[in-house]
Amino acid sequence: MSTITTHILDVSIGRPAARVMVTLERETNGAWERLGSQRTDDDGRARELLTEPLVVGAYRLTLDVSSYFDVEAFYKEVTISFVVRDASQHYHVPLLLSPFGYSTYRGS
């Protein structure tokens, strides 16, 4: 399992958001380096984004929500930038999503 994971819940229907493309990047020398990507599973989870050891630094998750909704939605993608200060920890970054809003937090 990756040390950076995410889980997307579609709060407009109270169900996981399946098959959303998630990309993980790390900032290196002022540029973003792609580390991995995968689609969320049927439970809305992406568990295998990082296949190398976690290091301290700035990371971002980009979630392509444009093709997820069956209704006209406001957001094309959601980008969540965060800082890893302790590489020995697990970082779970959930997303609560609706067609016209979202919220995120550091999970466990």
Side-chain angles (χ1 to χ4, degrees), residues 29-107:
N29 299 322
W32 289 101
E33 170 191 6
R34 185 178 171 277
L35 300 176
S37 63
Q38 74 173 122
R39 292 195 180 276
T40 55
D41 61 17
D42 289 342
D43 194 35
R45 297 178 185 274
R47 297 180 172 104
E48 302 296 329
L49 293 165
L50 184 64
T51 58
E52 60 188 57
L54 184 64
V55 298
V56 170
Y59 290 79
R60 74 178 175 193
L61 288 169
T62 302
L63 304 101
D64 179 11
V65 298
S66 63
S67 62
Y68 168 73
F69 288 107
D70 291 333
V71 297
E72 186 175 321
F74 184 68
Y75 298 103
K76 178 179 175 6
E77 64 184 22
V78 174
T79 301
I80 306 166
S81 298
F82 58 98
V83 177
V84 168
R85 291 187 171 84
D86 181 353
S88 69
Q89 294 187 28
H90 172 78
Y91 292 83
H92 183 62
V93 187
L95 178 69
L96 304 176
L97 179 66
S98 81
F100 300 101
Y102 66 88
S103 177
T104 185
Y105 56 96
R106 173 146 187 218

Side-chain angles (χ1 to χ4, degrees), residues 14-35:
R15 310 260 322 140
R19 293 173 296 287
V20 174
M21 181 56 74
V22 180
T23 301
L24 175 67
E25 297 170 291
R26 180 179 56 227
E27 188 176 25
T28 306
N29 299 322
W32 289 101
E33 170 191 6
R34 185 178 171 277
L35 300 176

